[in-house]
Amino acid sequence: MKRLAFSLGIIVTPLVLCTGLAFAQTPFNPKTIEAACAAAAKAEPAKFRPGTTKMWCAMIDREGKLLAVNATDTGGTPQAPLGSDAWRGSIEIAIAKAYTAVAFSSNDMALDSKTVGLVTRQDGPGLTTPGTIGTDAGVAPLWGLSASNPYRSAFGFFQGSDDVPGGYHHGIITFAGGQPVYTKGPGGGCGGGGGVLIGAVGVSGDGVDEDDAVAKTTVTSSGLCLAP
């Protein structure tokens, strides 16, 4: 019996290690995503400033942990912005947009921050007849959602510090600029089913259309998908 247990241990241990290694080799690479976001921002005409956009781009993993947040004009971080002219207030917004997208997406369905916002609105999609408002069929089925996951700075248990990778910051944003990120499906394409949710990207620093365009381009130009 001891010999059998030992033999099974020899077989199972490498399998466990290989499984962990495969999981660690995720295609969701912070450097790749941040480079793609910077390139997308530098190609996006700005709405509120001359030239192209200057933004903060955040990426989080499937569990909501911040992997990176950088200024697209300098590559700086909140702690060392390197002279970035991107709006400082967009740091928290970008992170919260990414969290919103990953928090309400799944391997079956993608919900970006814009879509999440629409279902919180009293003038959003759905019926307005009495008795339907606030139901699945009516407008505002998720009214008040923005208050459900308050933003947390640092590592999630005190306020007042800049945002750092490794923290679980949360926050719900109900306008465009947060996109979920999926692997490609078994057939190598996007949107055909079978893709796995691996995280999200949040972009902030200009108009919502510009933010969303940069977020989408960041994901697709990195060889990843916006839907399973």
Side-chain angles (χ1 to χ4, degrees):
M1 183 63 70
K2 289 182 178 179
R3 182 175 298 176
L4 176 60
F6 178 77
S7 299
L8 287 173
I10 292 177
I11 296 171
V12 171
T13 300
L15 289 175
V16 172
L17 290 174
C18 289
T19 301
L21 182 60
F23 180 79
Q25 293 174 340
T26 172
F28 199 44
N29 184 292
K31 291 185 178 180
T32 299
I33 295 292
E34 292 300 330
C37 194
K42 289 174 183 177
E44 182 68 25
K47 180 177 182 179
F48 295 118
R49 64 169 76 232
T52 56
T53 61
K54 297 177 183 179
M55 301 174 161
W56 287 94
C57 184
M59 60 176 296
I60 63 175
D61 69 11
R62 178 64 180 87
E63 304 308 320
K65 181 170 71 174
L66 180 65
L67 301 179
V69 55
N70 290 89
T72 60
D73 58 334
T74 66
T77 65
Q79 294 77 29
L82 303 180
S84 172
D85 194 37
W87 297 337
R88 187 78 186 184
S90 286
I91 297 170
E92 286 81 2
I93 294 174
I95 296 169
K97 283 183 179 182
Y99 177 76
T100 301
V102 81
F104 298 104
S105 294
S106 68
N107 292 332
D108 302 310
M109 181 174 64
L111 286 178
D112 59 14
S113 60
K114 177 183 177 181
T115 303
V116 170
L118 288 175
V119 294
T120 69
R121 293 171 59 109
Q122 292 179 312
D123 60 347
L127 301 174
T128 58
T129 52
T132 63
I133 298 173
T135 70
D136 290 341
V139 297
L142 297 184
W143 174 257
L145 181 71
S146 58
S148 65
N149 287 253
Y151 186 84
R152 306 173 188 178
S153 63
F155 289 91
F157 43 75
F158 64 91
Q159 297 291 322
S161 297
D162 273 335
D163 307 288
V164 293
Y168 291 84
H169 301 284
H170 297 182
I172 301 297
I173 295 293
T174 54
F175 50 87
Q179 291 290 335
V181 179
Y182 291 84
T183 61
K184 291 183 176 180
C190 295
V196 176
L197 179 66
I198 57 173
V201 168
V203 174
S204 179
D206 209 293
V208 292
D209 292 342
E210 289 72 23
D211 289 353
D212 214 30
V214 170
K216 289 177 178 178
T217 300
T218 297
V219 177
T220 57
S221 66
S222 299
L224 296 165
C225 303
L226 297 165

